[in-house]
Amino acid sequence: MTQSSVRAEGTRGGVRRGAQDHAVAREDGSGRSGDGPGSGHRRREPRRRGRRVLRWSATTLAVLILGTAGAGYLYYEHLNGNIHKGERSSGDAKAQKSRANAAGQTPLNILLIGSDSRNSDENVKLGGAKYDRGSPPLGDVQMLIHLSADRKSAAMVSIPRDTRVDIPKCTDPKTGKVYPATNTIINESLARGGAGCTLATWENLTGVYIDHWITIDFSGVVQMADAIGGVDVCVRQSVWDRPTAAVPGGSGLKLTAGTHKVKGKQALQWLRTRHAWGSDPLRAKAQHMYLNSMIRTLKGQNVFTDTGRLMDLAEAATKSLTVSEEIGTAKKLYDLGMQLKSVPTDRITSLTMPNVQDPQNKDHLVPDGANADKMWQMLRDDVPFDKHGKASAAKKTTAEATKAPSAPDDQIGVTVQNATATSTLGPVSGRAGTIAQALVQKGFTKASKDVTGGLTAQRTVVRYPSAELQGDAQRIAKSLGIPLSSVKQSTDVSGVTLVVGADWRDGTTYPKASAPKAGDLPAGSDAINGSDKGQCMDVYAPYRW
């Protein structure tokens, strides 16, 4: 900048001399300031010299501009080089993208995963146990960030790490190792094919299509917390999350009662603390409080318009995060941040999936049936979790496009599968046969049941393999009262296939559920509004000091 300023001053000096000569010429009305050829020549010289200075300065300025642009490009590529990327989904998932509303907008769902990886010196130092080094990481923090189609509201939904769920068949994209489907706690999904397997697990559980995933490990949390400059958190009693005679381990968090700004390692301790709050769901609540406070802090700092702060945050974020490959550039991550920034804090709701104790293991949890299903339906239908929005405001209902079936009812082939099992309940025996028989009675005489066992699906769906069978699949759905939005094309089937899901456990007509209303949250969700600054954690008695 100093060189540029000096050169500009020289340019202005040259212009002033040329201007003075031109003024003299105008005074005698001749267009020249002297009579002889020699005098005219001498008076034209300053003009040429001024023009040379102008040309030289313009060239210099162009070089500086191009140099600055080049430096910006190199820095952008540097940020891109920091980012680690992976496959979006590595598991067997069936969720479909939400349809666009009348304005052409769709919701955006991002799965945030906190990894307990100890596979670096820094992570071992921050996370304890050296004997865990080299072990597959577990996803101890799992949170779905949902941005509404109109980008006017958002939700952050957690599933506690010890929740038992169905994990689908997954293939590790790095090694090619195939992991069979299993039923175990959800934090193990990360070790069975990476973040893409965790994403597939969420999609199958919720029926919500997830656009992207982002993972962060221990050291990443510390870097991000330092870049932000600290986040305010609150405890009602003095807390020390330490080993006790009854329970080993602990995060090491030690704070006096009241509000504190935590950053670096202390921020990580806050996010990892579980024993001192009393349960894993309460740890999720503490994490929600931290993230809400962080969003308020970033909005208050105007970090998105402060170039210096933004660069610091960009450096930390790109070094700290691993992301699904379709958002693997600094610009795309910045765009995601700007979309979240646009949501007012009083339209952000943080909540935890309603859960109950696992009947198979008192130390584990399972989804709380109807309450959990209601939460997933609100996400699928893009219904705001806060009361400031309108029910289904971002989802305009339009007439479903229908196609004529390719054959009469008695010539339409359809296979019925029983996928009514859930993490909490076993399958309803004979469900496929019951629905197949109901179809036969309706005139679909080629309907048959599939005897394959162990199938699970959150929602009932009719699948068809190719476009010419779409009308057949729609005809089957209509006859049973299944909405046409649940008719999906899929390469996983060879003919029209009706998958009877956990949402249809009895009867032969698909149950019509009442549409949830904005702000009508299910019981047990422990919701927090993003603008609530008065949230404070209670400390479990053994961890007070």
Side-chain angles (χ1 to χ4, degrees), residues 262-323:
V262 296
K263 61 180 181 178
K265 184 176 181 179
Q266 201 170 46
L268 176 64
Q269 290 173 334
W270 176 274
L271 294 170
R272 294 189 66 212
T273 293
R274 177 174 54 150
H275 301 316
W277 310 140
S279 71
D280 199 40
L282 285 173
R283 174 166 72 168
K285 181 177 181 178
Q287 292 165 353
H288 294 158
M289 289 168 54
Y290 178 93
L291 289 174
N292 284 333
S293 181
M294 182 184 76
I295 291 169
R296 293 194 300 267
T297 298
L298 290 173
K299 282 177 173 284
Q301 293 175 342
N302 291 320
V303 68
F304 291 98
T305 56
D306 182 334
T307 303
R309 291 298 313 283
L310 184 60
M311 288 176 67
D312 290 343
L313 192 59
E315 192 74 35
T318 54
K319 285 182 177 178
S320 306
L321 305 176
T322 301
V323 303

Side-chain angles (χ1 to χ4, degrees), residues 411-493:
Q411 295 299 311
I412 295 176
V414 55
T415 301
V416 183
Q417 295 179 335
N418 182 356
T420 54
T422 70
S423 296
T424 54
L425 300 169
V428 179
S429 179
R431 196 77 182 112
T434 298
I435 300 301
Q437 185 58 36
L439 284 169
V440 170
Q441 292 173 357
K442 289 177 180 289
F444 298 93
T445 55
K446 288 194 172 183
S448 62
K449 66 178 181 180
D450 184 346
V451 296
T452 304
L455 301 176
T456 61
Q458 192 69 21
R459 303 182 74 188
T460 296
V461 64
V462 183
R463 297 196 177 105
Y464 61 94
S466 53
E468 63 268 19
L469 293 179
Q470 181 179 358
D472 295 6
Q474 290 178 335
R475 178 76 184 107
I476 293 294
K478 185 177 180 180
S479 72
L480 296 169
I482 300 169
L484 293 188
S485 59
S486 296
V487 177
K488 309 288 186 182
Q489 186 170 355
S490 172
T491 57
D492 292 339
V493 295

Side-chain angles (χ1 to χ4, degrees), residues 202-492:
W202 271 74
E203 286 194 342
N204 287 350
L205 176 66
T206 67
V208 176
Y209 182 87
I210 301 174
D211 300 272
H212 318 297
W213 54 258
I214 297 174
T215 67
I216 186 169
D217 60 16
F218 293 158
S219 62
V221 169
V222 171
Q223 291 178 53
M224 289 291 290
D226 285 341
I228 293 166
V231 169
D232 288 336
V233 296
C234 176
V235 286
R236 287 198 172 91
Q237 304 87 17
S238 296
V239 59
W240 187 6
D241 192 49
R242 64 199 186 281
T244 66
V247 182
S251 71
L253 179 70
K254 189 173 186 180
L255 298 171
T256 56
T259 300
H260 299 266
K261 187 179 292 293
V262 296
K263 61 180 181 178
K265 184 176 181 179
Q266 201 170 46
L268 176 64
Q269 290 173 334
W270 176 274
L271 294 170
R272 294 189 66 212
T273 293
R274 177 174 54 150
H275 301 316
W277 310 140
S279 71
D280 199 40
L282 285 173
R283 174 166 72 168
K285 181 177 181 178
Q287 292 165 353
H288 294 158
M289 289 168 54
Y290 178 93
L291 289 174
N292 284 333
S293 181
M294 182 184 76
I295 291 169
R296 293 194 300 267
T297 298
L298 290 173
K299 282 177 173 284
Q301 293 175 342
N302 291 320
V303 68
F304 291 98
T305 56
D306 182 334
T307 303
R309 291 298 313 283
L310 184 60
M311 288 176 67
D312 290 343
L313 192 59
E315 192 74 35
T318 54
K319 285 182 177 178
S320 306
L321 305 176
T322 301
V323 303
S324 52
E325 55 198 1
E326 68 286 343
I327 54 168
T329 69
K331 182 182 184 304
K332 290 179 180 178
L333 290 176
Y334 174 80
D335 289 343
L336 286 179
M338 291 301 290
Q339 290 187 63
L340 184 58
K341 173 185 176 289
S342 68
V343 180
T345 53
D346 67 349
R347 298 295 314 278
I348 299 174
T349 307
S350 302
L351 58 171
T352 301
M353 178 197 71
N355 55 81
V356 294
Q357 188 180 83
D358 184 354
Q360 297 182 14
N361 185 331
K362 65 181 181 61
D363 293 326
H364 294 165
L365 304 167
V366 289
D368 180 13
N371 286 319
D373 290 344
K374 182 179 180 180
M375 176 175 286
W376 307 140
Q377 183 182 354
M378 291 179 77
L379 286 174
R380 290 191 300 264
D381 294 345
D382 199 27
V383 178
F385 283 100
D386 65 282
K387 294 182 179 180
H388 300 293
K390 296 180 181 179
S392 301
K395 192 177 181 70
K396 306 295 183 183
T397 57
T398 58
E400 297 282 355
T402 59
K403 292 185 66 176
S406 64
D409 290 354
D410 61 357
Q411 295 299 311
I412 295 176
V414 55
T415 301
V416 183
Q417 295 179 335
N418 182 356
T420 54
T422 70
S423 296
T424 54
L425 300 169
V428 179
S429 179
R431 196 77 182 112
T434 298
I435 300 301
Q437 185 58 36
L439 284 169
V440 170
Q441 292 173 357
K442 289 177 180 289
F444 298 93
T445 55
K446 288 194 172 183
S448 62
K449 66 178 181 180
D450 184 346
V451 296
T452 304
L455 301 176
T456 61
Q458 192 69 21
R459 303 182 74 188
T460 296
V461 64
V462 183
R463 297 196 177 105
Y464 61 94
S466 53
E468 63 268 19
L469 293 179
Q470 181 179 358
D472 295 6
Q474 290 178 335
R475 178 76 184 107
I476 293 294
K478 185 177 180 180
S479 72
L480 296 169
I482 300 169
L484 293 188
S485 59
S486 296
V487 177
K488 309 288 186 182
Q489 186 170 355
S490 172
T491 57
D492 292 339

Side-chain angles (χ1 to χ4, degrees), residues 13-65:
V15 170
R16 282 198 296 271
R17 287 193 296 272
Q20 289 168 354
D21 289 339
H22 188 57
V24 173
R26 286 198 306 271
E27 286 174 1
D28 69 3
S30 64
R32 293 177 295 177
S33 58
D35 297 329
S39 298
H41 177 74
R42 285 193 299 273
R43 283 169 175 78
R44 285 195 297 271
E45 175 62 23
R47 291 195 189 99
R48 288 203 300 271
R49 185 170 61 190
R51 286 194 293 270
R52 284 199 300 270
V53 172
L54 283 170
R55 286 196 299 269
W56 177 79
S57 298
T59 302
T60 302
L61 182 60
V63 171
L64 288 173
I65 291 172

